[in-house]
Amino acid sequence: ARVPAPAGRPCGEATPIYSYWPNSLERICAYNPAMKVILVLRDPVQRAISQFSFQLQADATPASFLATDAPKGCTADALNAHIHAVLGGANESISRLEDEFPQMTAETLGSARTCVDCAAVADCHWLPQWVYVKDTCNHVLRFENLESDFSELMQRFSSTVSDSSKIPSYAFSRTEPAQVSECGSLTKDDLDLKSRTLLATVFAEDYRRFGYELPDASTSKSALATMLQDDKKLRARARELLVTLKRWRSEKGATRLHSQQASHRVLKPQ
């Protein structure tokens, strides 16, 4: 952030944590009230896959150890195991942080570099995106449409932005997974039911606010559809058991009544 801006060109600094870390925005505003905050959103599923790919090659931290534990490598099993471990472990902490928002503290976040089950696990890369966005940014772009969204943003500032300050088209090719990671073959189809359910649960507010499609929500294999289907099966089974129980009680009652009547006949004085 201390790098001087090139002559005639705007200068930026990329650190998402500034958007929610206690007092960061206030200090930025005090330093430069004209500072613009731009955030880029991403489909939670693609974001999770990208984060897993990053952890495979990142500097060693507790979170990267989770990514490289057995099963290892760029495989569906490894991806799902990582999501199970990270989101399964941090789910409660993230939920608590959302409940406290915007009154978040460093204690609530936890140690971003050393924890494996706190809200800030893996340098806060698993935090819900709405926490970054709400009441903090001037402009929101979508990773899926980054080139067009950024170009549109630059047009809004065309009077103050020169052509030389625009990002060249070839730079956007790095939004393709294969361009930035050796683990670029994984897709949402590689997610198992538990991973889909965790993503849908932990990032429920992201899906609600930003309109991204739930994991495989259009197919019968979706977490939501599967849960509903399982729920229907459980309800149907419960009804069957209830009918069986009522029948059993009825038959038992009839048998008991019959036995009592037979006993009375036997004991009846001659």
Side-chain angles (χ1 to χ4, degrees):
R2 295 181 179 275
V3 178
R9 299 180 62 182
C11 184
E13 202 273 338
T15 305
I17 198 171
Y18 289 162
S19 66
Y20 62 81
W21 196 262
N23 302 319
S24 289
L25 290 176
E26 291 84 352
R27 294 176 63 185
I28 290 172
C29 184
Y31 172 75
N32 183 358
M35 191 82 71
K36 301 298 183 183
V37 180
I38 303 171
L39 292 174
V40 180
L41 300 178
R42 190 173 191 178
D43 183 326
V45 168
Q46 298 304 326
R47 182 183 178 221
I49 294 173
S50 176
Q51 178 58 23
F52 166 72
S53 301
F54 169 76
Q55 290 291 168
L56 289 177
Q57 55 194 12
D59 292 337
T61 67
S64 62
F65 289 140
L66 288 176
T68 54
D69 278 346
K72 298 181 179 181
C74 180
T75 65
D77 287 343
L79 168 66
N80 287 304
H82 188 60
I83 293 175
H84 299 172
V86 174
L87 290 187
N91 188 3
E92 292 185 7
S93 298
I94 291 175
S95 178
R96 185 165 58 252
L97 179 143
E98 289 182 298
D99 291 340
E100 295 179 4
F101 186 88
Q103 304 300 322
M104 295 184 297
T105 64
E107 182 179 358
T108 302
L109 286 165
S111 178
R113 294 289 293 176
T114 61
C115 78
V116 295
D117 58 2
C118 68
V121 62
D123 280 345
C124 303
H125 287 185
W126 293 89
L127 278 178
Q129 295 171 94
W130 76 268
V131 174
Y132 291 96
V133 172
K134 184 174 173 57
D135 302 328
T136 64
C137 63
N138 305 100
H139 309 284
V140 176
L141 313 181
R142 303 276 180 147
F143 187 85
E144 297 79 15
N145 310 311
L146 187 55
E147 183 171 6
S148 60
D149 283 2
F150 189 81
S151 296
E152 182 179 344
L153 179 63
M154 291 298 97
Q155 289 175 9
R156 295 175 60 180
F157 294 95
S158 58
S159 60
T160 58
V161 176
S162 65
D163 290 338
S164 62
S165 67
K166 296 180 181 179
I167 299 177
S169 296
Y170 67 80
F172 290 101
S173 66
R174 290 183 59 80
T175 60
E176 296 296 327
Q179 297 293 323
V180 295
S181 171
E182 296 179 0
C183 186
S185 60
L186 296 172
T187 71
K188 65 179 182 179
D189 294 329
D190 292 306
L191 297 175
D192 62 16
L193 176 58
K194 184 175 181 180
S195 291
R196 296 175 193 162
T197 304
L198 281 168
L199 288 165
T201 301
V202 176
F203 302 123
E205 189 65 8
D206 282 355
Y207 285 112
R208 188 186 73 81
R209 286 175 178 264
F210 308 130
Y212 285 110
E213 186 179 6
L214 285 165
D216 296 329
S218 62
T219 73
S220 60
K221 294 182 179 180
S222 72
L224 182 59
T226 303
M227 286 188 289
L228 291 175
Q229 184 178 13
D230 289 345
D231 184 58
K232 291 179 180 178
K233 291 179 180 179
L234 288 173
R235 289 173 184 268
R237 180 57 178 161
R239 286 194 295 268
E240 292 176 2
L241 291 174
L242 184 59
V243 170
T244 301
L245 179 60
K246 288 182 177 180
R247 184 184 303 116
W248 177 78
R249 285 178 174 175
S250 178
E251 293 174 351
K252 185 176 181 181
T255 301
R256 181 180 300 172
L257 178 61
H258 178 74
S259 298
Q260 290 174 346
Q261 291 175 341
S263 177
H264 288 318
R265 288 196 294 270
V266 172
L267 297 175
K268 185 177 180 180
Q270 297 296 325

